[in-house]
Amino acid sequence: MKIIDRARIRELMDRELQSYVRTRPRSRELFERARKSLLAGVPMHWMVRWAGPYPIFVKEARGAYIQDVDGNRYLDLCLGDTGSMFGHSPESVARAASEQLSRGITMMLPTEDSIWVAEELARRFGLPYWQIAMTATDANRFSIRLAREVTKRPRILVVNGCYHGTVDETLIDLVDGKVLPRAGNMGPPVDPQVTTKAVEFNDLAAMERALAARDVACVLMEPAMTNRGIILPDPGYHEALREMTRKYGTLLIIDETHTICAGVGGYTGEYGLNPDILTIGKPLASGVPVAAYGISQELSDRVMEKILSDGTDENGLGGTLSGNALAVSAMRATLENVITREAFARMIPLAERFERGVAETIREAGVPWHVTRLGVRIEYHFLPRPPRNGAEANAAKDAELERLLHLMALNRGILMTPFHNMALISPYTTEEDVDAHTRVFSECVHELVK
Ligand SMILES: Cc1ncc(COP(=O)(O)O)c(C=O)c1O
């Protein structure tokens, strides 16, 4: 196996930074102007975390492609970090949303589309009752509240290395068995040991020890981890987890926001999971802000009285714009026409092709890495074998190498997801696109180990 030469990384980085700046003068101008009015020079600070010294400013995004203000065109494998994973501005969604725009955007009253949407979500994910939220963060926060309300228990449990949005209880690190505020967490409100237990993914013995105290309202978990690279569950993990949560009276919340990449019903639909609550956001309306959470009949029976009797809108669930007509119309169009079985039937073979291309390059170049895939999400790790949990994945993080590979890809017309080596295949991605990535990846890795 080849050891990556750090001096070589820095040498290539200098060359690639120069090339980046040379080909993006207009983005640079806009960034310089933006820094005078936008905090960090962008509307949301993650946008400066791309590999270049300043972000590319977008002129237009369509299907699987983005064009920047300097006239550069990119194959987009980031796809808004899953927000647009089924393509930028699908025609049917653009049409439905523009029609709804002129018929009323938000009324705090339901439209018929919301019933269609809930019926469809119930069919796909197997839970009977649904609420609409604006973001996956919100859907998770509301679900945790429901769990605490019905169980009357104070704590939640998450796995180390999870990400469920800006939900305070989940922004933790597990260090030497202790739950600490996540490194970099801005203004943590309370000591997370008060609110949160954490275990490593795939560690059922630790899970059982944590649940046995019967003080955990809910386990909140992605069915396969996607925010530290892709980490798949061990065989039998979900069956044991479900049994254990039932045994100790803890509710199980499955967050499908990223794992919808596994199929039309997410990992839950593909592998027959049976959660008490399911949350999902990001691509549900092709990027129009919307999220949803579904609950079981039993849970509905336990919370309905409180929901209806409260008499006030200030019970901690929902928001003025939640369930608005525009978002719901975009969600209907997305579920009806975009996130379909036909789309997955086209995308999965392309994702397999992508995975084969990356695996072949890793083998040929002799670098100690591997590639993992979940449905149409593919990620390579700087580790010879797949990690089993967040701690193993964190230990393999190599920010410098990651940045170089991203920058090289950017300069060759390919957008990879920042903070990851992740690629998403959309219904618009073609075989030629996949092969273009394979070529670029191979060229970059071979240059690196030359
Ligand atoms: C699994 C998962 N859940 C929830 C979220 C939060 O989504 P949002 O930032 O749209 O609220 C994310 C964001 O990356 C996520 O990865």
Side-chain angles (χ1 to χ4, degrees):
M1 287 276 173
K2 294 244 171 65
I3 308 269
I4 307 292
D5 176 1
R6 309 312 296 189
R8 179 74 178 147
I9 294 182
R10 285 187 278 277
E11 183 192 332
L12 290 175
M13 184 76 90
D14 283 348
R15 185 190 76 188
E16 294 296 324
L17 281 171
Q18 283 173 29
S19 158
Y20 185 95
V21 171
R22 201 170 46 246
T23 48
R24 292 166 183 87
R26 180 73 185 130
S27 275
R28 183 185 197 153
E29 260 171 46
L30 290 177
F31 186 60
E32 275 163 15
R33 179 175 145 215
R35 284 162 74 183
K36 298 184 186 128
S37 59
L38 289 163
L39 188 64
V42 278
M44 201 274 290
H45 68 281
W46 301 0
M47 295 178 190
V48 283
R49 303 229 5 237
W50 289 78
Y54 48 86
I56 60 166
F57 278 72
V58 173
K59 179 162 181 235
E60 185 173 301
R62 259 174 217 246
Y65 278 83
I66 285 185
Q67 187 162 349
D68 73 11
V69 289
D70 287 290
N72 302 301
R73 191 165 177 264
Y74 307 87
L75 167 64
D76 188 6
L77 298 170
C78 166
L79 294 165
D81 190 9
T82 308
S84 309
M85 76 168 279
F86 297 95
H88 293 292
S89 299
E91 225 171 87
S92 55
V93 180
R95 198 176 328 111
S98 19
E99 281 168 22
Q100 188 62 51
L101 270 172
S102 52
R103 285 202 311 264
I105 297 167
T106 191
M107 292 79 84
M108 220 174 76
L109 282 169
T111 53
E112 192 173 338
D113 283 342
S114 60
I115 311 171
W116 189 97
V117 154
E119 288 168 351
E120 181 60 20
L121 292 171
R123 242 192 315 277
R124 290 185 185 216
F125 297 108
L127 287 161
Y129 297 111
W130 291 82
Q131 283 281 278
I132 309 299
M134 292 298 290
T135 65
T137 299
D138 269 354
N140 284 327
R141 286 197 299 108
F142 301 153
S143 298
I144 290 172
R145 277 182 174 272
L146 285 176
R148 284 206 175 105
E149 174 66 27
V150 301
T151 61
K152 309 292 181 212
R153 293 179 178 183
R155 289 158 113 182
I156 74 157
L157 185 146
V158 293
V159 294
N160 189 32
C162 68
Y163 189 67
H164 297 286
T166 55
V167 179
D168 288 319
E169 293 94 326
T170 63
L171 292 172
I172 56 94
D173 282 327
L174 182 65
V175 182
D176 300 329
K178 233 178 138 189
V179 176
L180 302 179
R182 181 159 295 173
N185 185 354
M186 194 79 73
V190 289
D191 177 352
Q193 292 194 64
V194 175
T195 59
T196 309
K197 291 185 176 182
V199 298
E200 293 293 350
F201 192 59
N202 280 323
D203 186 345
L204 285 166
M207 177 72 75
E208 177 133 36
R209 282 195 299 279
L211 297 185
R214 296 180 186 268
D215 59 352
V216 177
C218 59
V219 169
L220 169 61
M221 191 187 279
E222 285 190 281
M225 291 180 74
T226 65
N227 281 293
R228 294 290 172 269
I230 297 169
I231 307 177
L232 300 174
D234 289 344
Y237 180 70
H238 278 293
E239 290 79 355
L241 171 68
R242 185 62 277 203
E243 207 173 292
M244 223 178 257
T245 46
R246 289 212 170 101
K247 177 171 165 193
Y248 295 110
T250 294
L251 296 172
L252 178 60
I253 307 176
I254 290 289
D255 181 344
E256 289 278 7
T257 299
H258 277 187
T259 44
I260 184 71
C261 62
V264 290
Y267 193 99
T268 293
E270 287 298 301
Y271 294 89
L273 305 192
N274 197 5
D276 300 294
I277 307 180
L278 185 143
T279 61
I280 180 166
K282 291 200 189 185
L284 255 193
S286 300
V288 175
V290 83
Y293 54 109
I295 68 171
S296 64
Q297 179 71 54
E298 191 201 338
L299 194 52
S300 161
D301 293 343
R302 290 166 78 186
V303 291
M304 194 52 72
E305 196 183 336
K306 174 110 184 194
I307 284 185
L308 293 180
S309 71
D310 198 319
T312 153
D313 55 331
E314 294 172 6
N315 62 11
L317 302 184
T320 315
L321 300 179
S322 301
N324 72 73
L326 174 65
V328 170
S329 73
M331 185 151 95
R332 176 176 181 162
T334 301
L335 290 170
E336 211 166 6
N337 308 304
V338 181
I339 310 180
T340 60
R341 284 194 189 285
E342 297 71 44
F344 271 96
R346 233 186 62 67
M347 294 187 289
I348 294 275
L350 291 175
E352 289 167 346
R353 186 181 181 96
F354 191 105
E355 183 186 23
R356 280 196 303 276
V358 172
E360 180 74 354
T361 296
I362 290 174
R363 199 186 52 73
E364 269 172 26
V367 285
W369 307 346
H370 79 279
V371 57
T372 313
R373 181 177 66 81
L374 178 64
V376 298
R377 178 182 301 268
I378 310 113
E379 176 125 9
Y380 35 95
H381 289 260
F382 304 131
L383 265 177
R385 279 181 315 284
R388 287 189 63 238
N389 57 46
E392 285 181 25
N394 282 343
K397 182 110 181 131
D398 184 339
E400 195 182 36
L401 176 58
E402 187 175 293
R403 181 172 179 220
L404 174 66
L405 289 175
H406 281 231
L407 195 59
M408 290 177 95
L410 259 169
N411 283 340
R412 288 156 186 76
I414 291 182
L415 297 183
M416 294 290 290
T417 311
F419 354 114
H420 283 270
N421 296 306
M422 189 190 79
L424 292 165
I425 303 296
S426 80
Y428 298 88
T429 314
T430 63
E431 243 176 45
E432 293 71 43
D433 294 333
V434 169
D435 294 347
H437 169 269
T438 305
R439 256 192 325 277
V440 166
F441 181 65
S442 172
E443 182 193 323
C444 298
V445 175
H446 282 98
E447 262 214 90
L448 186 63
V449 296
K450 197 156 65 179

